[in-house]
Amino acid sequence: MYSLTFVYSLIFSLSYLGVKAFNGSGSHGPPPNANPLTYGFYATAEITQPAPLEITGTIPNWLQGSLYRGAAGTWDTGNLTAEHWFDGFSRNHRFEIANGQVQYRSRNASDELVDFVRETGKLPGGSFGSDPCKIVFGAFEATFRDGIHPHGDTSSANVDVSYVPDYPGLARNTSSFGSPLETLVATTDGNYLQQIDPVTMEPIEVSTYQAANLLLNSTGRSASHPAFGSDGSVYNYLLDLSAKPPVYRVFSVSPVTGAGTILANITDAPPAYLHSLFSTDNHLILIVWQADIGKESTTLLGSLLPWNPNRKTLFYVISKRDGGVISKYASSDAFFAFHQINAFEDTSGALIIDLPTATDYHFLNSAKVDNLRANVGPNANGSSYNDLTFNFTRYLLPNHGDGAIFSNGSLITNPAIKLFSLDYQKHNIELPRINSKYYGKTYQYAYGIHTEKPGYFTDSLIKIDTVAQTSLVWSPATNHLPSEPIFVANPTGSGVEDDGVLLTVAMDAERKRSSLIVINATTMVELGRAQMPIVMAYGFHGVFA
């Protein structure tokens, strides 16, 4: 039950401080008979000023900082529905945690775009997977800071997948006094970036990687998940489909100047949808799994070629220090993936790569909004077709030294060795996170979303011991749909790898509201939760600072 004090505070927050339906959303919330687990695929309320949340259980006093999460505010505006989960209209969220209490606020980040869509009923430019008949080109003028234009719009693009804290080369935000970050930048799979105020969540400016180097064509594709260096460098790739042949330009962004340097140009790999660039301490790994782009279409989904079980997965290893592709590998199996769990070098110099893999890319088709609204939870009738979770898989890239290159200087394609793939039913995982201290290094524990009941999209969280190949699961007593679990280390604890907590935002089907939930990362036992007065739409990734 909420305390009277909390109710008065909430009323004040929701009225005077401004809870707003998504601009133009109208009555686009869930219908009365909707399954509560699907509420996160409909329009949700924006809370622009800090609102205190009711605490149940205990939030550890050592947990101090801000959790930032990206998501959609809605998929519907005016007469248009953005028909793919990845095409929702962006919103950023902040949970400020201090002294066992939590305050929450959110801010829409694509208002200029939404205004155009509401007025025209059309999506400007391409999309991930919406109806091509609802897409229009040339009618919406968006300006990005791109090395040609010195300034960009504030909110003319959807950029809501992941974040880069303290992105190089940007001035400190004028309102960021008291913020844990100098700057905050949102990313997506297109070559789009958006600077966000880390205090108010106000959108500041949209830009592209072309601002760092003019070869990083603004019309190209990049990973939502760049890689990072210990010195603050940011690494990514730019897939330039206008080049003949198409080229992956792997690049770094200087932590000092924000300038971009091309580290490698890869022209012998098929153009594909690659959501992440992988990284160890010393190397970058571009993994070209199968989501090959080869058809004319106004949407990325429509451009993908049919699945080819004989198309091997390619691994390109690039030196962070010197640049250049130093080795190339191919696996015997075809797979699709989204994310790195971790990658590291063993004592022989070989690379170990852990990632969730799928046997095809059917989830990209499953992620249509109408399908998810209709077929998540009991309505799925036990089918796992729409579930987000994949197989935990480990690959080995042996160190061949000089044996990686022919005498003429061309690369030898060596075999990538699949070491193991854990049992799907027991150990399925996606949206993976680890203790960030261990990225690029030998580690033991991985965390992620998990599906116990087939058809529920995701209903639990998992901790996988990569050494013992065992797991623990947080499985709530009532139906929940949790988000990516973010590990926060205990600064006052033992210092062991799993000493900390997980932060997840989960929809509680019984309460019909979302909560920020804090889970002991050692035992996978819930410690406490901050109950939200609203449903938070289902998004992808976040960062704690």
Side-chain angles (χ1 to χ4, degrees), residues 215-240:
L215 289 175
L216 303 175
N217 190 332
S218 291
T219 62
R221 302 201 62 83
S222 293
S224 288
H225 298 278
F228 303 98
S230 58
D231 64 350
S233 295
V234 174
Y235 301 91
N236 209 328
Y237 76 85
L238 185 288
L239 173 58
D240 188 349

Side-chain angles (χ1 to χ4, degrees), residues 49-334:
Q49 297 296 321
L53 303 185
E54 178 80 352
I55 305 299
T56 63
T58 301
I59 309 294
N61 283 328
W62 60 259
L63 184 61
Q64 307 274 335
S66 290
L67 172 67
Y68 299 96
R69 285 201 56 86
T74 187
W75 288 263
D76 309 278
T77 187
N79 295 319
L80 181 136
T81 294
E83 293 165 318
H84 200 278
W85 184 31
F86 300 174
D87 286 333
F89 298 104
S90 55
R91 177 180 295 161
N92 294 291
H93 306 259
R94 182 188 183 196
F95 296 86
E96 190 174 3
I97 307 169
N99 303 316
Q101 301 299 312
V102 180
Q103 291 193 101
Y104 166 78
R105 67 165 70 184
S106 63
R107 181 66 175 90
N108 296 335
S110 55
D111 286 348
E112 292 168 287
L113 175 64
V114 168
D115 287 344
F116 174 86
V117 173
R118 187 178 66 252
E119 292 169 5
T120 65
K122 298 286 187 179
L123 282 169
S127 72
F128 192 95
S130 294
D131 184 352
C133 295
K134 298 177 182 178
I135 294 172
V136 62
F137 289 90
F140 180 68
E141 293 186 7
T143 301
F144 297 82
R145 181 172 54 80
D146 59 2
I148 298 171
H149 301 93
H151 303 288
D153 300 333
T154 59
S155 58
S156 59
N158 266 337
V159 189
D160 64 347
V161 178
S162 191
Y163 293 107
V164 178
D166 296 332
Y167 186 90
L170 296 179
R172 182 180 175 89
N173 300 325
T174 55
S175 64
S176 62
F177 179 77
S179 166
L181 298 170
E182 293 284 321
T183 59
L184 180 64
V185 166
T187 67
T188 189
D189 287 316
N191 185 4
Y192 301 146
L193 304 167
Q194 185 178 39
Q195 188 174 358
I196 304 296
D197 187 309
V199 174
T200 66
M201 309 312 295
E202 287 287 329
I204 295 174
E205 183 182 44
V206 291
S207 62
T208 75
Y209 286 115
Q210 186 176 293
N213 187 308
L214 291 177
L215 289 175
L216 303 175
N217 190 332
S218 291
T219 62
R221 302 201 62 83
S222 293
S224 288
H225 298 278
F228 303 98
S230 58
D231 64 350
S233 295
V234 174
Y235 301 91
N236 209 328
Y237 76 85
L238 185 288
L239 173 58
D240 188 349
L241 291 165
S242 68
K244 304 299 179 186
V247 58
Y248 293 92
R249 303 191 196 280
V250 181
F251 64 91
S252 64
V253 179
S254 166
V256 178
T257 65
T261 300
I262 308 299
L263 299 177
N265 292 295
I266 297 170
T267 58
D268 63 342
Y273 162 55
L274 309 178
H275 187 66
S276 303
L277 180 66
F278 287 48
S279 173
T280 69
D281 276 349
N282 300 304
H283 301 96
L284 303 170
I285 308 105
L286 183 74
I287 306 179
V288 187
W289 50 66
Q290 191 174 163
D292 294 350
I293 299 169
K295 295 192 293 185
E296 291 292 330
S297 177
T298 56
T299 72
L300 178 63
L301 188 59
S303 73
L304 298 185
L305 297 173
W307 186 262
N308 176 6
N310 298 314
R311 207 281 260 169
K312 296 181 178 181
T313 302
L314 301 174
F315 300 73
Y316 294 84
V317 180
I318 298 108
S319 169
K320 284 184 175 178
R321 186 189 67 184
D322 302 323
V325 179
I326 59 175
S327 55
K328 177 184 174 183
Y329 302 83
S331 70
S332 59
D333 56 332

